[in-house]
Amino acid sequence: MENLAAFHTLHQVDLAFFVNTAVADQRLTPTKTAPHNFSGGPGALPQPVLEETQRAIMQVPGQPFGLLGISHRSTWFRDVVDEAEANIRELLQLSDRYSVLFLQGGGSLQFSMVPITLLRHSPQAAEYLETGYWSHRAIVEARREGPVHVLWNGRAAGFRSLPAPSELHHNPEAAYFHYVSNETVEGLQFHHSPGHENVLRVCDMSSDFLSRPFDASPFALIYAHAQKNLGPAGVTVVIVREDILERVPDNLPAMLDYREHACMGSIYNTAPVFAIYVTMLVTRWLRDSVGGLEEMEAINRAKAAELYQAIDASQGFYRGHAAPEARSLMNVVFSLLSPKLEQRFLAQAESAGLYGLAGHRSLGGIRASLYNAVTPAAVHALCGFMEFFRLRYQDSDEA
Ligand SMILES: *Cc1c(COP(=O)(O)O)cnc(C)c1O
């Protein structure tokens, strides 16, 4: 991508910003401007994908029917699943040692399937990081299956930071090690991959999967539901290494057995045809229109940089939640001086065409989710609104 370098500096050079934003937006969304969707999940999807999905609902090219009435046993759907898998393999340069599965039950079912597979019959505890709302939910489910050792807990400090590698003292005998790469609620993201070379590494990447390149080879299992960054609700991508399949206990219900799904090519029972189709289109868009994960990361970095810059330059009017080194490129979480002012911010943002900015119900405040399909122009519009709002209220009695 010829504008790669320019994207890195978008936030510093105003003129370059406008030029390059126009280029980026042509590629990301050819037609749509406001309203802008900053929802935490289900999140924004690329405009070309939505348009193609709309046509496919009425009639899939080459098929007599629309998307919602096609058999999951058709060769057409087999090809859809195969392409989704091939695109993910290509984007991640994934080795053949991994299976790529498309399952139902969301991230939440993986909170259970992982410990059912790896902890239920293990004499050793599993190691978890408690870095925010979603990793806590994973721990609660894992504890039903066996002992959990929380290796690091950010709760007392209000889930504002992430551990440095030197703070994690792994037991090389642990059943496995689980962490969440991007805490969607608090807006914390790992910018390295924690873990120990002798401990099976498991990661919930639900809210940043395919937002940037990463090396899958240290992982035993990765899961990511589609509905934050990848597609609609209803499907969860699981990338599982072959040796993990060999550890699945016998006599599990088939639906909870990764081997059944791997053996049936993700069509063990009626698969979520719609969700997998849209997810396939998104992976095709990432490959062909965006140009790959390095390009996607450059765009995501530029978007997040502009928004964090707006927060940092606001002289405390906007207060970022995360410690700077743990800031997420996907979910930017901040607060204002009072809940009343936040309510006013949210209402006026909607009037300006900026939607989905309310923080998670467990935390309050503001959360702008900048998933892959959120355009640089959307972020620029948000930053413009924030500046306008700050100038209006920073010295006002109404605040
Ligand atoms: C939203 C979220 C989940 C929950 O997934 P469901 O599909 O709703 O079960 C799990 N993990 C992370 C990181 C999330 O952001």
Side-chain angles (χ1 to χ4, degrees):
M1 188 188 91
E2 65 275 19
N3 291 298
L4 191 75
F7 273 117
H8 285 293
T9 52
L10 286 190
H11 59 293
Q12 291 162 353
V13 187
D14 259 347
L15 187 64
F17 178 87
F18 284 106
V19 174
N20 289 301
T21 298
V23 174
D25 274 2
Q26 254 170 29
R27 193 184 32 214
L28 291 170
T29 68
T31 51
K32 191 154 182 174
T33 52
H36 298 300
N37 182 2
F38 296 97
S39 169
L45 288 173
Q47 190 67 13
V49 167
L50 292 176
E51 285 166 9
E52 190 158 350
T53 302
Q54 183 183 40
R55 289 190 293 275
I57 284 174
M58 295 318 292
Q59 199 199 332
V60 173
Q63 296 293 314
F65 312 115
L67 182 57
L68 304 182
I70 291 184
S71 170
H72 62 292
R73 300 284 174 209
S74 62
T75 52
W76 174 80
F77 185 62
R78 181 71 261 161
D79 290 346
V80 168
V81 177
D82 289 347
E83 186 187 333
E85 171 174 347
N87 291 349
I88 290 171
R89 285 189 182 283
E90 186 181 331
L91 287 163
L92 292 176
Q93 294 163 21
L94 200 61
S95 106
D96 291 344
R97 297 182 61 206
Y98 293 88
S99 295
V100 178
L101 310 179
F102 298 93
L103 307 186
Q104 299 192 58
S108 297
L109 186 59
Q110 294 312 306
F111 292 165
S112 295
M113 275 178 79
V114 166
I116 287 171
T117 304
L118 295 175
L119 188 57
R120 190 175 273 190
H121 301 290
S122 164
Q124 297 287 347
E127 295 179 333
Y128 275 68
L129 300 184
E130 184 161 348
T131 50
Y133 180 88
W134 287 113
S135 52
H136 173 73
R137 296 277 298 261
I139 289 166
V140 168
E141 295 306 316
R143 287 209 159 108
R144 299 180 201 278
E145 297 298 330
V148 169
H149 174 53
V150 176
L151 212 52
W152 189 91
N153 197 330
R155 180 177 295 279
F159 292 134
R160 289 172 185 273
S161 64
L162 295 172
S166 60
E167 293 176 77
L168 301 180
H169 304 290
H170 295 271
N171 172 4
E173 309 280 300
Y176 61 92
F177 164 65
H178 178 283
Y179 75 101
V180 174
S181 57
N182 182 70
E183 286 283 4
T184 322
V185 171
E186 293 82 2
L188 307 171
Q189 186 177 32
F190 280 97
H191 299 293
H192 66 281
S193 165
H196 185 288
E197 56 185 8
N198 294 337
V199 183
L200 297 174
R201 193 176 304 189
V202 178
C203 188
D204 175 0
M205 297 195 186
S206 289
S207 52
D208 66 355
F209 186 62
L210 302 189
S211 69
R212 57 183 178 181
F214 68 92
D215 176 14
S217 66
F219 293 92
L221 190 149
I222 293 162
Y223 59 94
H225 63 195
Q227 72 266 23
K228 304 265 160 66
N229 196 38
L230 196 61
V235 65
T236 300
V237 177
V238 175
I239 296 177
V240 54
R241 211 170 54 203
E242 57 200 359
D243 54 298
I244 302 304
L245 296 179
E246 285 158 21
R247 293 170 185 249
V248 176
D250 286 327
N251 301 319
L252 288 182
M255 285 294 286
L256 302 183
D257 187 333
Y258 291 118
R259 293 172 307 184
E260 292 283 354
H261 297 284
C263 170
M264 299 299 285
S266 294
I267 316 184
Y268 169 78
N269 68 328
T270 312
V273 173
F274 174 84
I276 294 177
Y277 174 76
V278 180
T279 299
M280 181 279 284
L281 290 183
V282 172
T283 61
R284 191 189 277 176
W285 169 83
L286 275 168
R287 188 194 58 190
D288 297 344
S289 303
V290 177
L293 297 185
E294 283 182 18
E295 285 78 0
M296 194 70 255
E297 179 179 26
I299 294 169
N300 286 334
R301 279 194 184 283
K303 292 185 307 190
E306 191 190 8
L307 183 47
Y308 283 119
Q309 175 115 332
I311 292 169
D312 292 342
S314 74
Q315 296 162 348
F317 186 78
Y318 300 113
R319 297 145 184 233
H321 178 80
E325 66 281 4
R327 283 174 163 181
S328 168
L329 304 183
M330 295 279 98
N331 309 98
V332 177
V333 176
F334 57 97
S335 57
L336 278 74
L337 294 169
S338 71
K340 195 175 143 223
L341 194 60
E342 287 168 349
Q343 287 314 310
R344 186 169 286 153
F345 178 93
L346 292 171
Q348 293 192 17
E350 289 204 357
S351 308
L354 308 167
Y355 290 88
L357 288 165
H360 188 266
R361 58 199 147 78
S362 66
L363 194 67
I366 314 293
R367 172 177 59 176
S369 295
L370 310 184
Y371 300 129
N372 287 350
V374 174
T375 63
V379 178
H380 197 57
L382 173 59
C383 293
F385 167 76
M386 286 169 64
E387 178 67 357
F388 159 84
F389 189 87
R390 179 175 72 85
L391 294 173
R392 168 78 181 75
Y393 288 104
Q394 69 181 352
D395 299 316
S396 155
D397 295 339
E398 295 171 81

